[in-house]
Amino acid sequence: MSQFTGNHVLSVNQFDRDAIEKIFHVAHSMEPYARRQKRTTVLDGAILGNLFFEPSTRTRVSFGTAFNLLGGEVRETTGMSSSALAKGESLFDTARVLSGYSDIIAMRHPQAGSVAEFSEGSRVPVLNGGDGANEHPTQALLDLFTIKRELEYNGKQIDGLHIAMIGDLRYGRTVHSLSKLLCLYKNIHFTLISPKELAMPDNVISAIENAGHKLTVTNQIEGVVNADICYQTRIQEERFTSQAEANKYRGRFRLNQSIYTRHFQSKTVIMHPLPRDSRMEANELDNDLNSNPNLAIFRQADNGVLVRMALFALTLGVDDLVSKYEREVVWYTNKSQSL
Ligand code: CP
């Protein structure tokens, strides 16, 4: 039984470098299944409760897809108003009940700390799919997995990385979790670019400083030279008290090909957890970057399936059995022959 078996995934704080390497090793081995070239039924009979009390496209669907690709079934609840939470039921009671219907639960909720609270009532492992402005640990793992792959392609490694994080660093939970994970590595240079009202929270800054990393804090995109990774974020309008308040910051840090060419190296990898706000007033990551080979945002989203498959396999203790229950995929074989 591994350190993962039966445990919740609530925060990146629970991982060390060995654990991350293990997750990445298993994630890598999931590639043929994620590409639908092979099928495994290792989770045949298992049920994922996929509970999303806040909007999501990637996290919700990739959790479900990952579980299906391992042979399991998915039951979903979306939206607060269609659940009994709207009638005053506690997170504890909801967890007690729904964990009787599932073998594992993935959950997103708008309140910080809510997924941890839910996990206390759960009889099965719970994976945090984002709790308010707090954490998004599975996103951070897939971001780091992407950074590792993209850097390796450029002949580099995570140790010694220079990352520029841009935009809403206050409410953007993905940058909180990713920063904490990066603190486990050596000689990281963090350049944090945001309006001062949307600066990175103090606890994340302290984690970076206490780990001895280089930190540059600025409200200007100009002058970011030598960044290996440019991690752009969305203004998290759902966390502001009003649209007018969010509008003050929307569009402050646009990135397009011309700005990229002016301020970044020719190999700087462009990342974004998505969704990117493509409305004219924001346009934080312009479509004119779509043909830039360094735009990794869709590779990043694809990697979410690999990492979430790995987390399911490890948490349910079947990571060594995946290939034992492997079989050919009729559709892929037929598709290959007809192309
Ligand atoms: N990156 C991310 O969490 O996307 P969704 O909100 O679509 O799940």
Side-chain angles (χ1 to χ4, degrees):
M1 210 164 74
S2 79
Q3 65 177 111
F4 298 94
T5 312
N7 288 331
H8 306 302
V9 175
L10 300 176
S11 164
V12 290
N13 294 334
Q14 69 194 77
F15 299 119
D16 58 18
R17 272 181 79 153
D18 286 345
I20 292 167
E21 284 311 312
K22 177 71 183 173
I23 294 165
F24 289 180
H25 175 75
V26 177
H28 185 71
S29 73
M30 294 297 177
E31 205 124 39
Y33 312 105
R35 288 182 192 273
R36 279 85 71 198
Q37 293 163 345
K38 289 180 183 171
R39 185 160 170 71
T40 176
T41 53
V42 71
L43 289 184
D44 182 32
I47 293 179
L48 164 69
N50 211 20
L51 317 179
F52 275 72
F53 299 113
E54 200 181 43
S56 169
T57 296
R58 275 144 294 274
T59 313
R60 180 175 62 80
V61 178
S62 66
F63 265 129
T65 300
F67 209 74
N68 287 151
L69 288 167
L70 291 167
E73 291 182 34
V74 182
R75 301 280 181 272
E76 284 202 343
T77 293
T78 52
M80 196 79 81
S81 60
S82 55
S83 100
L85 289 171
K87 300 182 205 170
E89 186 167 47
S90 68
L91 285 169
F92 183 93
D93 286 1
T94 306
R96 211 78 190 149
V97 172
L98 294 182
S99 57
Y101 305 161
S102 331
D103 298 284
I104 191 164
I105 288 173
M107 178 178 167
R108 172 174 288 186
H109 191 283
Q111 279 170 354
S114 54
V115 182
E117 185 183 337
F118 178 94
S119 73
E120 285 166 19
S122 175
R123 292 173 274 172
V124 300
V126 176
L127 277 58
N128 184 357
D131 61 320
N134 184 36
E135 277 226 39
H136 196 344
T138 66
Q139 177 75 41
L141 287 166
L142 78 87
D143 287 346
L144 191 64
F145 184 78
T146 304
I147 289 171
K148 184 172 190 283
R149 281 197 160 180
E150 299 287 327
L151 290 181
E152 280 171 358
Y153 187 73
N154 290 337
K156 293 187 173 180
Q157 54 184 5
I158 300 174
D159 290 323
L161 163 76
H162 179 188
I163 185 166
M165 295 179 169
I166 305 173
D168 183 353
L169 308 184
R170 177 180 179 186
Y171 296 120
R173 57 194 171 198
T174 69
V175 286
H176 304 165
S177 294
L178 178 58
S179 298
K180 290 182 198 167
L181 274 190
L182 284 170
C183 281
L184 297 171
Y185 291 78
K186 291 185 190 140
N187 302 324
I188 307 294
H189 181 182
F190 292 84
T191 295
L192 306 181
I193 305 165
S194 72
K196 70 175 184 331
E197 299 84 353
L198 302 183
M200 191 69 97
D202 288 344
N203 71 314
V204 182
I205 296 287
S206 298
I208 293 170
E209 287 175 341
N210 292 339
H213 296 301
K214 185 171 175 187
L215 177 63
T216 306
V217 178
T218 173
N219 59 5
Q220 304 290 329
I221 205 165
E222 286 76 16
V224 183
V225 288
N226 300 326
D228 300 296
I229 304 286
C230 162
Y231 192 104
Q232 175 72 297
T233 63
R234 180 177 63 87
I235 300 298
Q236 305 282 300
E237 60 189 43
E238 62 276 31
R239 315 257 178 253
F240 286 78
T241 48
S242 69
Q243 279 292 320
E245 185 65 16
N247 284 342
K248 287 200 314 207
Y249 306 105
R250 199 175 266 127
R252 183 81 71 89
F253 296 110
R254 294 165 193 265
L255 190 63
N256 58 27
Q257 186 57 53
S258 143
I259 294 169
Y260 175 84
T261 306
R262 217 172 325 137
H263 298 298
F264 293 93
Q265 310 181 77
S266 60
K267 285 192 173 171
T268 298
V269 177
I270 306 164
M271 294 177 64
H272 190 304
L274 301 180
R276 57 175 157 173
D277 188 344
S278 294
R279 289 169 287 192
M280 187 117 59
E281 60 274 26
N283 202 16
E284 61 206 15
L285 213 50
D286 198 292
N287 283 335
D288 74 355
L289 288 160
N290 286 354
S291 55
N292 184 323
N294 298 313
L295 185 78
I297 57 175
F298 299 118
R299 295 191 287 277
Q300 193 180 347
D302 286 350
N303 289 338
V305 173
L306 299 176
V307 168
R308 292 182 174 118
M309 287 179 82
L311 289 170
F312 283 136
L314 286 161
T315 304
L316 293 173
V318 298
D319 50 299
D320 287 336
L321 299 174
V322 174
S323 59
K324 181 177 171 188
Y325 292 97
E326 173 183 303
R327 55 186 165 85
E328 294 305 310
V329 176
V330 174
W331 174 85
Y332 184 78
T333 310
N334 287 339
K335 178 186 157 207
S336 304
Q337 284 167 357
S338 63
L339 289 176

